[in-house]
Structures are given as structure tokens and as C-alpha cells.
Amino acid sequence: MNTLHNTASIRLFVFCFPVVILLSCFTDALKAEEKNSPVSFVNDVVPVLTKAGCNMGVCHAKAGGGQNGFQLSLLGFETLDDYDSLVKEAQGRRLFPSVPEKSLLLTKASNETPHGGGIRLPRDSEGYQVIQRWIAEGAHYSTGNEPTLESVEVEPERGVVNMGETRQLKAIAKYSDGSVRDVTEVALYESNIKSMAEATEEGVVKVHDIPGKVAVMVRYQGKIAVFTASIPLGAPIQEVPTEKNMVDRHVFANLKELGIPPSPVCDDQTFLRRVTLDICGRFPTREETESFLASTDPKKRDEVVERLLRSPNYADYFASKWTPLLKNRRDAANDITSNFAFHAWIRDSLLANVPYDQLVRELLGATGTVVTNPPVAWYKRVKDPKDQLEDIAQLFLGVRMQCAQCHHHPFERWSQDDYYSLAAFFSQIGRKPTGTQGEDLIFHQRGVAQAKNVKSGEMLKPMALGDDIGEISPDEDPRLRLGNWMSSQDNPFFAKALVNRYWKHFFKRALIEPEDDIRDTNPPSNPELMAALEEHFINSGFDLKQLIKLITQSHTYQLSSMPNEYNLQDRQNYSRFYPRRLQAEVLLDSVDQLAGSTTAFANLPPGTRAIALPDNSYTNASAFLKVFGRPNSASVCECERVQSSSLAQSLHLINSSEMKSKLAAANGRAAQLAKEADKPVEQKVNELYLIAFARKPQPEELQTAVQFLTTPVADEKTKPDAKKTPTSKDYQDLIWALMNTKEFLFNH
């Protein structure tokens, strides 16, 4: 057997050796041909400058103001401008064709001439040699026959990389003439989550100790490819909860692939409190909790979701999510009419479950006055076509277009033409004053829709992120055509942006993070789940309530927030529920609910809850809402809402006059409990725990609370076994203590 094996090996070697030699010679010949061919400014010089960091924002990029009068386009997207800067500006002093190595461009880059950026191109580097050859050949912009770059690919595109391991990437450029080039050394690499993995300048991916999915962007000459790595934990998975719907199927499949055991499904009281907070923005009432816990119906969790979605509180709560993002902001006293009308339109649309695509089309194509058609109030706040396109793209498509106004988007394919072509949809909005001060009549102004690219001067017709939407006649409102394109089933952004945003609402972390930055270079942590959610949302007719039902009725949503020994570090795979602090409005309402108090708001009926506030003016009027981070309706970014903790928040809960007055309210809960002399103290404590935590106290908690309430202050006259009747002040102290627990302040 050994003889046969050795003979076969020798024959294989004899056969393959000439092939290896031939391939090696062929590769060397290609490299020699590249060195002998004329240097292309676009294909050879610009990539070297980009790799060296010369056209980055902190160096010579125009976007950052450049350095000492020398400016290049960001990441080399505008090659002709860069050529003029290098060859023609400053009287041509940057290049010295007769002695190329004495060119200021090279002496600065090699730090032979003092350079603030240090050594960017050592003299013995290949990049230095490329630029030196280019200058020696006459520093031409074009060689006359160089091909154009069509795409860049990365090898491998995906793979499993264990913790602590590395993976070498290979970048391949493909050109219009069919040629390919290995550009690994001059491509740029960037990880989308640096805490999970980092990439070196040479394309080596170094994986850290956090399990999950991470992407590495590979950029070369404006083209981008993405390597996706799965980082397994590899822990044994004995069992997972049963799959209730497709959410569970995709989440649990991902956890099995990564070897991350999920936490078990939470108990009934935890689920009821969690889902009531997430759908209605409030705690369940004591009656709701007692009824739910007493029920033995196996479908009671699904039924409570249905009931909550029918509740007006659902519409109030989600209106408080959408109106700040749509900038329902009060800048003047006469804004109150439009603000109240716009908020009511959002709330009523949600309560009636108007399809999401219809709601967006009503907003985009709004005409008339705010009294007859409240969605026009958005055009009162957002007047500039550039602001309109940026807000619409970020909010409803998850695409951030701001960068493309001045230069090619550094992480995406969007150019200035894409930016101004999108602005053209809003170019024919007309305004006329009305009899109401500060209110305009919005109408479509007849004419050809177009927008001017401020850099090229070209007048551009409407195009939707590169998609041709056909000719638009002067009599047609282009916004309606945009609305139809956005809600098309083929649109790759519209449904994805919404389901990603709503997923974050219920799980704290979006599948694509940030939730409004959807791009090829920032893929979802669970692509299969994202695709399934998109498909479900589209097939449902863009039904928001159906999407919420799908999410909240899944066992994934119902997992316990308590980590097991394996999933504590998991931050993106949903192996457990991620606790989060209550939003400002929800927390204020919850404090009032537990304390039995109310908060008065100007121009609103008594008893109005904080989640039903129509605009930002109430934030400025409330110290509580301000310190706990209610947004000011100035941005379409969810990040304007602050949900992190701070010292100011702790001090406000512990010792503010507002909290003291709520606890000591004459008709508040503490006063009522003190008056109910016939009710056992244990029963009163049970009620407080049911309101605050949707559960009864543990035996030791009950014992501690009762002891605190009934034990008099010790002095020399107090008997050891003496008891007292709890006063209102005693109940205030107990309620205050419950309010300041993490269990109260967080949804878990």
C-alpha cells in the first residue's frame, strides 16, 4: 500500500510540477507587463494616494478643508479634479518631471521634506515607485487606452472565523476589458463593529472574543465589496424554546449555528409587563395583572397582544414615536393648531391601522391647508428640498444622503447626481399664505421637475436612488411618483427600513445598526430574518399591527432577560431579552401610576398622559421629561431620544421637589393606603408590587416591607414587639423605594 501511495504521489508531482512552474511564470509575466505598461493616473496613482490616506478627511480631502492649500477629493472619487490639483495648481510646483524623486509630492509623502502627516510612502514602497514612474512618464491623466474599473470582489465573501483567529482577505479588481488585478495591497479595509473584529491595512481580519456576525468593508476606487464573518461561541445547545413563528425559526437557527444557547422563555408576569410597556407605553393595571396571572388559557399571551393593539394607548404611544421623527416642533405660539392637527392625524392613522405605505404617500403628496389636510404640517417644518429629501431618505428608506450633497458618499454608491435627482421630486412644491397666521397652502406648482447639481451645473430630472421612474409631465406632482416607487414591492429599502426600526423598538438593537443607516457595507446581523420580515410586511399590505403581532407573539421576544453561563456577552443575536431604561414619557406616566398622582400639561385636558403629548414644547416645560431625554423634534434620528442613565436622573428621582410632591399628593396612593384602615398591610404591599412590577412580592420582600411599615422608631419607651399603624409618610417612603429600583426603571 505504501509503495502504491508513494508511486501515485511521484506521478502526481511529475504531472503538476510543470503546471506550477507555468502558473508562476504566467503570474510573473503579468506583473512584469503591469510594470512595463504606462502608469494610469486613475487606475494606479489615485489608489496609491487613497491607501496612503492622502485624500482622507483629516489630511488633504476637500471635505475636511485640506492642508496648506492642497486639496483632494474625498477618497479619490473626483479624479479629474485631483489631477488638476496635483499637476496644474500652485504653478505646477508639486511635480518635477526632470527629476521625479525631487517632486514635492514624493518628498512630502516620504517625509524628506517635513510633512505634518509623517511618512506616508517610504522610498522603497511600491506606491512610491508607481508615482515616481507616473511623473517620469509625463504625469498624464490618461494613457489613452486604460480600462475602467467595473467592480471589486473579495475572497472569501463569507466564512466562519473562530475567536482569536485571523483571516487573510484578497481583493480582486475587474475591469471593462475583461482584465483582473489583485489589489489586496492598495485596497482599504474597515470593520463595521470594531469590538468584534478589526482589519489591518494588509487585509488581515483579526477576530476578537464576541460571538456573532461582523462585516468588513473592502473599498477600492469607489467600488465596494463586503466580507462577512460568523464568529461562533461553540457552546453546547441542549434545547431551545419551541418555534412559534418564522421569527423563532431564523433566530434560533442563527443561535445554533453560532453555538449560543438562548435563555428560557420568561414567566407570565414578566411578559405582561414587558409587552404592555412596548405596545402601550404603560404598566399593566393591577386588575389586568391579576386577571392575566389567574388565567389558564394557553393562548392568553397571544390574546393580550391582540387586546393591547386595539387599545387607544397603542396609538398614543406609537404616535409619540413618530411625531418627533417627523419634526412636529413648536417654534412659535401659532404653531399649536398645525401641531395638534398633525399629531392627531398620526395617532388616528395608527389607531385605524392605515397601511404604512398609504400613510407615507399621504405625507409625501400632501396638499392644501393643515386644517383640511393635516399632513401638510410636515412641509411647514421642512421647507428646503434638500432637507426634505434627506429626511425622507433617512426616515423611510434608511439611507443617509447628507454626505452626497458635497461629495460621493464614502460608504455607499450615492453620488451628487443621486442627491440632486432625489431633490428634484420636491422642486415643484408651491406655497401661498392663508388667512391663518403662519400657515401656508401647499400645492403642486405646474412645471418641469428638476434640480441643479451645484458642482456640475447640470439640471437633473427626478430619479429615485438611481432608479428611472419615467418621464413626469409638468402637470403631474412628482412627489406622487416618488411615493409609488417607495412603496413598490421591488423597493429594496422601504420595507426593510420599517421592519428594522420596529425590531429595534422591541429588542433594543436593530438588525442593522444604526437603524437608519442601511447600506451594502452595513449588512444585517441575521440576513435571513431580515429578508423574512420584509417579505411578511410586504405581503401583509404594509400592516403595522400584523408586524407587531409577529414580533411580540414570538418566543424570541418572550425570552428571559436573565443570561445563562454562555450568552452574557451576546449583544446582537437575541439569545435573551436586552433590558432597557423606560423612555421619558413612559417613566413619567409610570411614576404617576404608582404614586396615584397626575401631571398637568398646558392646553390639554386633565389626566392627559405624557405619551399623548403632541409636540416638543412640553419637553421644555417639564424638568422630568428634559432630564430623562425626551427628544426635541429637531432631527429624524432616533438618537435624539436619550435612554442612557445619568447622575441628574438619579438625583431627580431621589430628591427632587417634583417627586416629593407626587408622593405626597393629597389624593395620592400613599394617602389612600393610609386611610384604608380595614385592609391588611400585607394586602397593600401586594397591590404596590402588582402595580410597580406586575408581580407579587417574594416572601422576604413582603416581610421586609411589612416590617418597615409597622415597626415604630425605637426609643427607650418602645416595647420589643411593638407595632404601629402605617402613616401616609410610611407609604410614601415605600413607594419611593420601589420607584428607585432597576426593576421599576427598566423594561426587562
Side-chain angles (χ1 to χ4, degrees), residues 3-51:
T3 301
L4 289 173
H5 177 76
N6 292 337
T7 301
S9 299
I10 291 171
R11 288 175 178 170
L12 182 63
F13 174 77
V14 171
F15 174 77
C16 292
F17 185 70
V19 177
V20 173
I21 295 294
L22 181 62
L23 288 174
S24 177
C25 293
F26 180 68
T27 303
D28 292 341
L30 284 176
K31 291 182 177 179
E33 183 180 348
E34 285 182 7
K35 289 186 177 180
N36 293 330
S37 61
V39 178
S40 166
F41 178 76
V42 174
N43 291 337
D44 299 316
V45 175
V46 172
V48 169
L49 297 175
T50 302
K51 183 69 174 183

Side-chain angles (χ1 to χ4, degrees), residues 10-286:
I10 291 171
R11 288 175 178 170
L12 182 63
F13 174 77
V14 171
F15 174 77
C16 292
F17 185 70
V19 177
V20 173
I21 295 294
L22 181 62
L23 288 174
S24 177
C25 293
F26 180 68
T27 303
D28 292 341
L30 284 176
K31 291 182 177 179
E33 183 180 348
E34 285 182 7
K35 289 186 177 180
N36 293 330
S37 61
V39 178
S40 166
F41 178 76
V42 174
N43 291 337
D44 299 316
V45 175
V46 172
V48 169
L49 297 175
T50 302
K51 183 69 174 183
C54 303
N55 50 28
M56 299 294 186
V58 295
C59 294
H60 294 286
K62 292 178 184 178
Q67 297 286 343
N68 299 322
F70 179 32
Q71 294 183 336
L72 296 170
S73 65
L74 182 66
L75 299 173
F77 288 121
E78 299 168 15
T79 55
L80 188 57
D81 289 351
D82 292 344
Y83 180 80
D84 290 342
S85 297
L86 287 167
V87 178
K88 300 177 182 179
E89 282 186 359
Q91 299 178 340
R93 73 187 186 94
R94 297 189 175 104
L95 304 184
F96 193 9
S98 59
V99 187
E101 61 271 19
K102 296 299 182 181
S103 298
L104 185 62
L105 176 62
L106 286 175
T107 59
K108 280 278 191 178
S110 61
N111 208 29
E112 293 178 35
T113 300
H115 180 223
I119 299 176
R120 310 308 302 173
L121 291 173
R123 286 180 63 91
D124 59 351
S125 68
E126 186 174 344
Y128 183 99
Q129 302 301 322
V130 167
I131 295 180
Q132 184 181 28
R133 283 179 53 215
W134 173 67
I135 299 172
E137 291 173 3
H140 301 294
Y141 178 75
S142 174
T143 63
N145 60 352
E146 69 260 50
T148 57
L149 178 67
E150 291 193 336
S151 66
V152 63
E153 297 178 358
V154 60
E155 297 178 358
E157 291 185 353
R158 60 182 59 85
V160 176
V161 186
N162 294 320
M163 294 180 183
E165 291 185 352
T166 60
R167 179 65 54 88
Q168 174 68 59
L169 302 182
K170 184 178 182 180
I172 305 295
K174 295 191 174 183
Y175 294 87
S176 57
D177 62 354
S179 61
V180 297
R181 181 188 296 184
D182 185 337
V183 294
T184 303
E185 294 183 2
V186 286
L188 300 178
Y189 306 88
E190 185 173 349
S191 168
N192 70 332
I193 308 177
K194 291 181 173 59
S195 60
M196 295 182 67
E198 295 182 273
T200 68
E201 292 185 356
E202 295 76 25
V204 178
V205 178
K206 299 180 178 180
V207 166
H208 301 316
D209 59 353
I210 300 177
K213 301 285 181 67
V214 65
V216 175
M217 175 182 62
V218 181
R219 180 195 289 116
Y220 179 74
Q221 271 189 272
K223 303 295 183 181
I224 289 172
V226 178
F227 165 70
T228 304
S230 295
I231 308 172
L233 178 66
I237 299 181
Q238 304 297 334
E239 60 179 313
V240 296
T242 57
E243 296 178 4
K244 284 195 65 179
N245 55 33
M246 64 88 164
V247 170
D248 296 332
R249 181 166 66 255
H250 292 295
V251 171
F252 295 159
N254 184 54
L255 293 176
K256 291 175 182 177
E257 177 187 340
L258 296 172
I260 304 176
S263 296
V265 172
C266 67
D267 55 33
D268 280 347
Q269 50 261 42
T270 300
F271 168 76
L272 179 64
R273 185 178 187 270
R274 178 188 299 173
V275 76
T276 307
L277 281 168
D278 279 344
I279 293 180
C280 290
R282 63 172 176 83
F283 288 167
T285 64
R286 177 168 60 88

